[in-house]
Amino acid sequence: MEDHFLSIEQKVSAGERLTREDGLFLLNSNELLRIGTLARLVKQRKTGNKVYFNVNRHINLTNICLSRCKLCAFGCDADASQAYVMEPETALSIARQAVIDSPEMTELHIVSALHPDKPFTYYADIIKQIHLEFPQLHLKAFTAVEIAHFAKIANLSIREVLTVLKDAGLGSMPGGGAEILNDRVRQILCPDKASAAEWLEVARTAHQLGIRSNATMLYGHVETHEERIDHLLTLRTLQDETGGFQAFIPFPFHPDNTGLSDIKRTTAWEDLKMLAVSRLMLDNFDHVKAFWIMLTIPIAQISLGFGIDDLDGTVVEEKILHAAGAKTATGISKQDIIAYIRETGNIPVERDTLYHEVKVYDGSDL
Ligand code: SF4
């Protein structure tokens, strides 16, 4: 046991890539602080003391979904009391209000359920209209699952869908819908949405078209440790091929109001270990993000000592994860994010979606 830990420490010191066995060993170890120290070393090499965040706003166009995945508390049938679908004008007015409320906002994050009837043109037109009115805003929109859905309903190839959206003003893609990229797990969690192969094909095609994306992992449900590590290795392999992923975002499953509500929420111990192991395994990802909405602010803040270099954004109005019982606020102020980062001894850096630095809060602002 100790020998294996020492060999991992030597590999990390030397900047060598960790193997599947190394990853499994770390996930099965309870030496959390030792794993965290190693992950922090890797983070320091990549981004020093900088910790990133952005000023953004989420828009979820609809919660009516034809897939009805067991893992999800957001998607619902059209006749459910909470069902909604926004008209394009509503999405535009939310964007307008967001710009008034937060003139320094750089990003709109737009993801939705898989509406059974809305055509692809509905989504492309919303991107086009928002982009025309607010060309300064980066539109990070549509998960790989949504893109695969658009291709099916519009009878277009993934490449054609992405090209239409890019021409309309799509800037990049979020990393959702990856869950665990394993067919056994997806058969249980989400059999009626994009398969692992389809998710990867969308990401690969997006990267080939110059559309950067993120990648997520939803852990803490029916998956094994082996399947978690294989998920990381699958993403690492695609990143070797395309270099198109910006950030990796691991987050725990929130069971409330889902079809798997008997599963217990992961502990802070497990969350911190998963974040740190992700940092260690994904040597070709520049950023590993703690999505505070899912993790809670206390765990996200502590994760800055466990290899995390990004706290996501101000978000403002998050619906999807709160439907699953996330107890966090639906938004956070920029001043609070800066204070949380500062308290850990790191330097808060406001970034845009593509990690260009907007402002470095190095103390000269105090
Ligand atoms: S996870 Fe996505 S595809 Fe599945 S039910 Fe929820 S909104 Fe629909």
Side-chain angles (χ1 to χ4, degrees):
M1 290 277 279
E2 181 57 22
D3 283 354
H4 197 162
F5 220 124
L6 285 172
S7 87
I8 290 173
E9 285 169 333
Q10 281 165 4
K11 280 190 193 175
V12 173
S13 295
E16 287 173 27
R17 180 164 271 193
L18 299 184
T19 64
R20 182 176 192 270
E21 290 66 39
D22 295 334
L24 272 175
F25 175 84
L26 291 171
L27 265 194
N28 291 328
S29 161
N30 62 3
E31 296 229 40
L32 178 61
L33 295 183
R34 212 164 151 190
I35 297 168
T37 302
L38 275 183
R40 179 156 173 78
L41 172 69
V42 173
K43 179 252 179 266
Q44 288 291 122
R45 278 192 199 133
K46 287 188 179 281
T47 58
N49 282 331
K50 290 180 175 175
V51 170
Y52 299 91
F53 70 95
N54 73 347
V55 179
N56 67 348
R57 155 103 202 203
H58 284 212
I59 301 180
N60 306 126
L61 299 173
T62 180
N63 61 354
I64 301 172
C65 192
L66 51 76
S67 277
R68 307 304 319 280
C69 309
K70 251 188 171 173
L71 63 86
C72 182
F74 175 69
C76 64
D77 291 332
D79 58 1
S81 58
Q82 74 276 27
Y84 75 90
V85 54
M86 283 180 196
E87 290 309 314
E89 189 51 40
T90 309
L92 258 175
S93 59
I94 290 174
R96 284 183 195 124
Q97 191 59 46
V99 170
I100 292 167
D101 294 344
S102 191
E104 77 271 54
M105 180 178 69
T106 54
E107 171 191 289
L108 283 176
H109 174 124
I110 305 170
V111 294
S112 310
L114 311 181
H115 196 284
D117 305 321
K118 286 289 179 195
F120 174 47
T121 48
Y122 162 81
Y123 303 93
D125 286 349
I126 286 175
I127 293 294
K128 194 172 185 174
Q129 287 179 39
I130 297 178
H131 180 64
L132 276 176
E133 191 163 331
F134 302 105
Q136 78 279 16
L137 288 183
H138 183 105
L139 303 183
K140 183 176 75 176
F142 309 129
T143 65
V145 168
E146 291 173 88
I147 299 293
H149 169 68
F150 299 157
K152 276 188 194 121
I153 59 174
N155 203 18
L156 294 171
S157 69
I158 286 167
R159 184 172 293 270
E160 287 167 333
V161 165
L162 287 167
T163 302
V164 169
L165 291 173
K166 189 178 178 193
D167 290 346
L170 179 78
S172 66
M173 288 166 55
E179 324 307 3
I180 295 284
L181 293 167
N182 171 287
D183 289 338
R184 182 196 76 83
V185 174
R186 296 181 90 77
Q187 205 49 43
I188 300 168
L189 295 186
C190 49
D192 296 323
K193 73 179 185 186
S195 66
E198 285 173 316
W199 192 97
L200 291 163
E201 191 49 33
V202 172
R204 176 182 287 109
T205 308
H207 298 172
Q208 287 168 351
L209 291 169
I211 302 169
R212 306 292 305 270
S213 73
N214 291 332
T216 57
M217 173 169 73
L218 183 77
Y219 63 87
H221 38 78
V222 300
E223 85 291 0
T224 63
H225 277 186
E226 284 80 1
E227 287 160 345
R228 286 191 201 182
I229 294 297
D230 288 340
H231 179 88
L232 299 179
L233 294 180
T234 299
L235 293 172
R236 190 168 81 179
T237 301
L238 183 55
Q239 180 74 331
D240 277 343
E241 179 188 324
T242 68
F245 288 119
Q246 297 204 105
F248 178 65
I249 311 151
F251 41 70
F253 176 57
H254 279 249
D256 292 358
N257 307 322
T258 72
L260 298 165
S261 56
D262 52 326
I263 290 178
K264 272 179 79 178
R265 162 81 163 82
T266 55
T267 60
W269 185 276
E270 189 171 358
D271 291 339
L272 289 169
K273 187 161 60 170
M274 193 62 245
L275 291 162
V277 170
S278 301
R279 177 61 288 170
L280 289 167
M281 294 303 293
L282 294 176
D283 57 353
N284 54 3
F285 276 64
D286 289 339
H287 307 283
V288 179
K289 185 189 287 192
F291 191 32
W292 60 266
I293 292 256
M294 286 297 249
L295 288 160
T296 73
I297 287 287
I299 296 176
Q301 190 188 31
I302 295 168
S303 77
L304 301 182
F306 289 75
I308 295 305
D309 71 282
D310 192 311
L311 282 190
D312 195 70
T314 48
V315 178
V316 181
E317 194 185 336
E318 201 289 322
K319 289 191 195 325
I320 296 176
L321 308 171
H322 284 84
K327 302 286 189 292
T328 47
T330 56
I332 188 175
S333 75
K334 184 164 117 176
Q335 288 66 31
D336 280 347
I337 288 197
I338 291 169
Y340 290 134
I341 295 170
R342 272 215 175 106
E343 197 181 2
T344 65
N346 287 291
I347 302 168
V349 178
E350 186 178 343
R351 61 166 175 83
D352 67 11
T353 311
L354 300 176
Y355 283 87
H356 301 116
E357 294 184 359
V358 173
K359 184 163 181 185
V360 179
Y361 296 85
D362 55 4
S364 56
D365 54 302
L366 290 172

